[in-house]
Amino acid sequence: MAADGAAEVFRRRGHAVVVGASLAGLRAAETLREEGFTGTLTMIGDEPRDPYDRPPLSKQVLLGRVPADGTELPRRRALDARWRLGVAAAGLDLAGRRVRLADGEEVAFDRLLIATGARARPWFRESEAALDGVFVLRTADDAARLTRRLAAGPRRVLVVGAGFTGSEIASACRERGLEVTVAERGPAPLVGALGGVVGAVAARLQRDHGVDLRCGVTVTALEGDLAGRLRRAHLSDGAALDVDVAVIGLGAIRNTEWLTGSGLAAGPRGVACDAGCRAFDVHGIVTDDVFVAGDVARSPHPLFGYQFLSLEHWGNAVAQAEVAAHNMISSGLDRRPHLWLPAFWSAQFGVNVKSVGVPPLGDELVVTQGALAENRFVAAYGFQGRFIAAVAFDQGRWLDFYRGLIESAAPFPPAFTNLDRRTDGTRPVPADFPDPSLPTHGPTVTLSGYSPSERRLRFTPAPA
Ligand SMILES: Cc1cc2nc3c(=O)[nH]c(=O)nc-3n(C[C@H](O)[C@H](O)[C@H](O)COP(=O)(O)OP(=O)(O)OC[C@H]3O[C@@H](n4cnc5c(N)ncnc54)[C@H](O)[C@@H]3O)c2cc1C
């Protein structure tokens, strides 16, 4: 049957299975229906609740303004789906087109969407992670537990790791009037995501808001009392802190273990797929009936030298899910690429942080608006003479302008000036990212692969 015909048959009578019933899974399912998919739809999710939104968990929920079970995702339409919630997918038979569930059921599919996202990286020593008072924050249940404990008024909270989530948790604690220590291995908060120049602003913000910020240190051990309650944390510089709550903010792990042995290109960085969201197999050959979207996906982006981007961005999960769903029921030239420009927001210490593009790819930075010293600025990032990203602190309304510059690969440093540039020098300075070979939990964009401009590939002429 011609490929076009197969897509049409699938659209009318096929079985679409979505594994991962959260933001990307839900948006993909809605798009399938919106675009005329009338076949059978099965949603498989290991969490026992309806799809919900995660960004409020580290913001409004921790502050007690929204209950942890009150962030359900709004529905764009009825789905007419079979829901299998509270049961994990445990394996994939690619050739037989079946998903094996943890309860032994096998679910056959014609097209599969993998949207299993990521989970919080746990504290590395299991016995210490099990202490009463040690938390992570990824799920609504995590948020409910942590919010209850913060409301009980702990004497001191330790936040391990000052990436976005850790910084937002510290901010919520200070807003609640709690004493907080933040321990960060890098030289500043947010340094993996935004570099050292902007990281220094984040550090000042934290200290100005009363955070006991300790950079360049790691937490080496968590110590409990005889009743198994957290009492003390030990740092690599020899300090010991009396704490009764520790929140581990050491980044996320992609949920790909269930795909082990499936033959898909799945690993710790996610599931590799092409720009059309079709999964690659282990040989780098693209599959035609397995698609990937959201935090679990890694896909090449032409604007960034076709490097594979793994993103932990709400907007990416939505956009990629929509493209994946469209491509699941389309064929050939009707398929669309996922060319979303990475964008991210965060709210911490009264400041609205927004980013567009891929800051960690930037080698230089120039403050184009406002001033770092005022915590109100736009910093533009350049890579090899072109715009690659921009980060705004309380200046988010300008980011669309910078989005245009990034999309058109405009020359960097910028030739334009503007009235609001009061600023910290007009010459670019090094963006000051940590050595990429050092592990960091900080970035919300992970680049893998390599830039073609590095010319690592060598083509050897065949012998005559
Ligand atoms: C606390 C917090 C704050 C955030 N704040 C922001 C923000 O301010 N701005 C922003 O842009 N982004 C933010 N994010 C990131 C954003 O929430 C994610 O990018 C988004 O949730 C990704 O959606 P997803 O559907 O791809 O993955 P997820 O939301 O991780 O969903 C994946 C789902 O699949 C399930 N699953 C995993 N394995 C299996 C399996 N084997 N079988 C069945 N189901 C499985 C998971 O339990 C989960 O329900 C935040 C995230 C967190 C945790």
Side-chain angles (χ1 to χ4, degrees):
M1 186 188 293
D4 284 13
E8 192 46 40
V9 170
F10 172 72
R11 177 195 286 268
R12 283 190 276 113
R13 313 196 286 273
H15 186 186
V17 171
V18 175
V19 181
S22 184
L23 180 63
L26 179 66
R27 290 295 173 249
E30 289 172 334
T31 306
L32 282 171
R33 291 297 190 212
E34 270 158 23
E35 297 204 7
F37 175 66
T38 53
T40 308
L41 177 59
T42 301
M43 306 287 294
I44 298 166
D46 63 358
E47 292 187 84
R49 55 176 81 225
D50 283 339
Y52 61 89
D53 212 12
R54 293 178 205 277
L57 301 181
S58 52
K59 305 173 183 78
Q60 296 89 334
V61 172
L62 284 193
L63 290 170
R65 293 187 189 141
V66 174
D69 61 2
T71 74
E72 197 174 310
L73 281 165
R75 299 288 179 94
R76 295 204 300 227
R77 53 165 300 132
L79 276 186
D80 185 20
R82 174 178 175 246
W83 291 84
R84 290 288 279 119
L85 295 181
V87 58
L92 170 66
D93 173 359
L94 203 52
R97 289 187 177 172
R98 303 179 85 77
V99 174
R100 185 167 42 79
L101 304 190
D103 63 6
E105 189 191 339
E106 297 218 337
V107 183
F109 64 85
D110 297 309
R111 299 230 160 123
L112 171 69
L113 178 72
I114 297 170
T116 45
R119 62 184 183 275
R121 186 181 303 282
W123 182 243
F124 69 97
R125 216 172 274 129
E126 243 175 78
S127 58
E128 297 177 9
L131 289 171
D132 180 21
V134 179
F135 297 85
V136 291
L137 182 56
R138 178 85 198 178
T139 67
D141 289 343
D142 295 337
R145 280 190 289 268
L146 179 56
T147 306
R148 266 198 306 275
R149 192 56 68 91
L150 297 185
R155 281 170 308 156
R156 179 168 291 276
V157 177
L158 170 66
V159 178
V160 186
F164 278 105
T165 306
S167 299
E168 288 181 4
I169 294 166
S171 171
C173 289
R174 288 305 300 142
E175 217 171 304
R176 278 180 169 274
L178 300 171
E179 297 299 324
V180 188
T181 296
V182 173
E184 163 59 44
R185 174 175 47 198
L190 310 184
V191 71
L194 306 181
V197 175
V198 177
V201 178
R204 194 181 57 236
L205 261 177
Q206 294 212 5
R207 292 194 169 111
D208 286 353
H209 282 80
V211 173
D212 168 32
L213 174 65
R214 305 186 184 205
C215 296
V217 293
T218 54
V219 177
T220 51
L222 298 173
E223 185 187 325
D225 62 16
L226 290 175
R229 282 186 298 253
L230 174 68
R231 283 291 169 246
R232 198 159 296 117
H234 297 272
L235 307 189
S236 54
D237 61 2
L241 300 169
D242 289 337
V243 294
D244 30 25
V245 170
V247 193
I248 313 303
L250 294 177
I253 301 176
R254 261 96 193 155
N255 291 318
T256 56
E257 293 82 352
W258 69 282
L259 296 166
T260 304
S262 67
L264 285 185
R269 285 174 165 168
V271 184
C273 62
D274 74 354
C277 310
R278 294 178 300 177
F280 284 120
D281 73 11
V282 283
H283 306 294
I285 297 173
V286 82
T287 56
D288 213 34
D289 43 16
V290 180
F291 293 74
V292 198
D295 282 8
V296 76
R298 52 188 292 257
S299 61
H301 201 305
L303 263 183
F304 305 103
Y306 290 97
Q307 293 195 77
F308 279 80
L309 304 186
S310 315
L311 302 170
E312 293 170 43
H313 296 174
W314 192 98
N316 178 66
V318 172
Q320 197 167 23
E322 290 173 355
V323 173
H326 171 85
N327 291 345
M328 284 170 85
I329 52 171
S330 307
S331 58
L333 293 176
D334 292 335
R335 286 186 167 161
R336 292 202 301 253
H338 172 59
L339 297 181
W340 190 76
L341 195 62
F344 182 87
W345 84 93
S346 169
Q348 45 186 279
F349 303 105
V351 173
N352 196 304
V353 179
K354 283 191 170 177
S355 131
V356 63
V358 181
L361 195 56
D363 43 22
E364 289 186 311
L365 169 157
V366 67
V367 177
T368 48
Q369 291 178 225
L372 297 174
E374 294 171 14
N375 304 333
R376 205 171 154 276
F377 60 88
V378 177
Y381 293 71
F383 174 62
Q384 297 184 350
R386 68 183 178 95
F387 261 88
I388 202 85
V391 170
F393 273 44
D394 272 349
Q395 294 268 297
R397 67 186 190 282
W398 296 110
L399 281 196
D400 263 355
F401 167 70
Y402 291 90
R403 175 188 298 273
L405 294 175
I406 298 162
E407 281 171 350
S408 59
F412 182 94
F416 61 85
T417 53
N418 62 61
L419 293 176
D420 192 27
R421 188 168 171 180
R422 292 189 295 291
T423 169
D424 312 78
T426 52
R427 296 182 73 80
V429 296
D432 197 17
F433 282 95
D435 179 348
S437 66
L438 296 172
T440 162
H441 60 273
T444 55
V445 183
T446 307
L447 292 159
S448 42
Y450 59 89
S451 164
S453 58
E454 289 173 38
R455 296 179 194 283
R456 285 201 215 163
L457 270 186
R458 264 198 210 108
F459 292 97
T460 315

